[in-house]
Amino acid sequence: MNGMASDHNTSSQDEYLPHYLQKEDPFASKLSREADIVAGFYLTVIGILSTLGNGYVIFMSSKRKKKLRPAEIMTVNLAVCDLGISVVGKPFSIISFFSHRWVFGWMGCRWYGWAGFFFGCGSLITMTAVSLDRYLKICHLSYGTWLKRHHAFICLAIIWAYATFWATVPFAGVGNYAPEPFGTSCTLDWWLAQASVAGQAFVLSILFFCLLFPTAVIVFSYVKIILKVKSSTKEVAHYDTRIQNSHILEMKLTKVAMLICAGFLIAWIPYAVVSVWSAFGQPDSVPIQFSVVPTLLAKSAAMYNPIIYQVIDCKFACCRSGGLKTLKRKSSLNKSR
C-alpha cells in the first residue's frame, strides 16, 4: 500500500503543470482592465514617492559621505536597494499593468524577477545588518564601539555577494523565474515545489536563507533591545538629568526599531504566506484576484523605508538636540545661582 501511495504521489507531481504552462499565453492579464489600470496608477504613485524619497536620502548622504557612521552607511545601502527596485523593476510592471499584459516576454520576465529578488534580498539583509548594529551598540556597548567604517564596507560587500548568489542560483538549473498567476508581473518560480522534490528543496532553501533566518535575526535583535531598555528604566530613575535624557533617547530608538519590524512584517509576510501556500498547498488553490494584493503590498516597502529611517531619525536627532539645549540652560542656571 505504501508503495502504491508513493507511486501515486510521484505521478501526481509528474503530471502537475504550473499555471504558466497550462495556457498558450501565460503573460495575458487575468484581471479586468479596470483592475489593471488601478494597479498601474498605484504602482506609479509608489514608484514616484519611492524614487524621490530614496534619491533624497542618497543625495543628502553624499554631501557628508566622509562623516557617515557605520549605521548611516547601512541606511544609505538600504536606500540604494530600494531605489534599485523602484527604477529597475517598477517601470516594467507599470507598463504591463497599463497594457493589460506582460509585454517583455520570457527574457524580460527573468530579468525582472532577478532584479526584484536581488534588490529585495539586499534590502532585507541590510535591515538585518542594521538590527545587529543597533543590538550590539545598545546591548553590548564594548562591541558597539569597536565597529568602525571599514567594518561597514566589509559588511556591504558581504550583503551584495549574498544577494547576488541567491538571485543567480535559479539560473543554475535548480530554479527559475516565472510569471505571476495574474500575468502582469514575474517572480521566483514557487510552483516548482509542486512538480519535484528538487523544486521543494530549492523553495525551502530560498525561504530559509532569504526570509526566515534574516527575519529571526531582526526579531531577536529588536526584542533584546526592548528588554534592555525596559530593564534599565529602574536603574536610571534615580540618576541625574543627563542620564535620564539619555534613557529617553534610547526609548525613542526602541520605537524606531519597532516601526522597522512592523513595516517589514506588514509589507512582506502576506506575500510570503501566499508564496508558501502556492508552493506547498493545493495546486492553483490561491485565487488570482487574491494573489495580486500581497504582491502590490510588498512593492510598497521601498516607499516607506526612507520615512522610517530618515524622517523619524531626524525627529530623533531634534529631540536629542532639544535635550542638549535643556541641559545647557540648566547648567547655566546653576552657574548663575
Side-chain angles (χ1 to χ4, degrees):
M1 293 294 291
N2 293 334
M4 293 178 60
S6 62
D7 291 341
H8 175 72
N9 292 334
T10 302
S11 62
S12 63
Q13 285 185 337
D14 293 339
E15 294 173 359
Y16 172 74
L17 287 177
H19 63 275
Y20 53 85
L21 294 179
Q22 295 175 3
K23 299 180 180 180
E24 294 182 359
D25 188 1
F27 299 122
S29 176
K30 311 304 185 298
L31 304 174
S32 66
R33 186 172 293 276
E34 292 77 13
D36 277 337
I37 292 175
V38 171
F41 275 115
Y42 168 81
L43 289 181
T44 301
V45 173
I46 294 296
I48 292 174
L49 293 178
S50 175
T51 302
L52 293 176
N54 290 289
Y56 176 77
V57 171
I58 296 172
F59 173 73
M60 295 302 294
S61 300
S62 65
K63 290 185 173 182
R64 48 187 298 270
K65 56 185 177 181
K66 294 183 179 180
K67 298 181 180 180
L68 292 176
R69 294 170 295 178
E72 293 174 320
I73 294 173
M74 292 293 104
T75 302
V76 174
N77 192 63
L78 178 63
V80 171
C81 293
D82 292 339
L83 184 65
I85 294 175
S86 302
V87 174
V88 176
K90 282 188 173 60
F92 285 81
S93 54
I94 291 171
I95 293 172
S96 296
F97 273 114
F98 282 125
S99 301
H100 198 49
R101 62 173 290 108
W102 180 263
V103 297
F104 301 100
W106 276 104
M107 186 66 70
C109 180
R110 292 188 177 97
W111 159 252
Y112 175 85
W114 181 90
F117 186 48
F118 172 72
F119 288 113
C121 182
S123 179
L124 176 56
I125 303 303
T126 302
M127 291 177 66
T128 306
V130 171
S131 69
L132 284 174
D133 174 78
R134 295 187 176 184
Y135 165 71
L136 290 174
K137 290 192 174 179
I138 294 177
C139 300
H140 301 280
L141 187 59
S142 59
Y143 291 99
T145 56
W146 173 77
L147 295 173
K148 304 299 181 183
R149 281 172 58 94
H150 66 276
H151 296 117
F153 289 114
I154 293 173
C155 186
L156 289 184
I158 295 174
I159 290 171
W160 288 111
Y162 193 92
T164 301
F165 173 78
W166 285 108
T168 311
V169 160
F171 294 133
V174 296
N176 200 1
Y177 293 99
E180 299 267 17
F182 50 87
T184 48
S185 181
C186 294
T187 184
L188 279 168
D189 193 347
W190 302 104
W191 303 271
L192 286 174
Q194 298 279 358
S196 65
V197 176
Q200 294 176 0
F202 163 71
V203 171
L204 288 174
S205 299
I206 291 292
L207 286 173
F208 178 79
F209 289 103
C210 300
L211 179 64
L212 297 179
F213 177 69
T215 303
V217 173
I218 291 172
V219 172
F220 169 82
S221 300
Y222 290 142
V223 167
K224 284 290 188 179
I225 291 172
I226 294 171
L227 295 176
K228 178 67 175 179
V229 173
K230 283 186 176 181
S231 65
S232 62
T233 301
K234 296 180 180 179
E235 297 177 4
V236 301
H238 60 280
Y239 289 156
D240 59 21
T241 306
R242 183 178 60 84
I243 298 178
Q244 290 179 7
N245 286 337
S246 176
H247 179 71
I248 292 174
L249 295 179
E250 286 187 352
M251 290 298 295
K252 291 184 180 294
L253 181 60
T254 302
K255 293 178 182 179
V256 174
M258 294 176 64
L259 285 174
I260 294 169
C261 288
F264 168 74
L265 293 175
I266 291 172
W268 286 105
I269 294 303
Y271 179 78
V273 170
V274 171
S275 299
V276 172
W277 184 260
S278 300
F280 299 101
Q282 293 295 324
D284 304 324
S285 59
V286 179
I288 293 177
Q289 291 77 9
F290 179 76
S291 66
V292 70
V293 176
T295 302
L296 296 177
L297 182 61
K299 293 179 185 298
S300 68
M303 177 188 68
Y304 54 75
N305 274 341
I307 299 175
I308 294 175
Y309 278 96
Q310 291 298 315
V311 175
I312 298 181
D313 280 350
C314 287
K315 291 181 180 180
F316 177 68
C318 291
C319 292
R320 179 168 52 191
S321 62
L324 290 175
K325 291 178 180 178
T326 302
L327 287 175
K328 289 180 179 178
R329 291 195 194 100
K330 289 185 177 180
S331 63
S332 61
L333 181 61
N334 290 334
K335 288 180 179 179
S336 63
R337 287 176 179 174

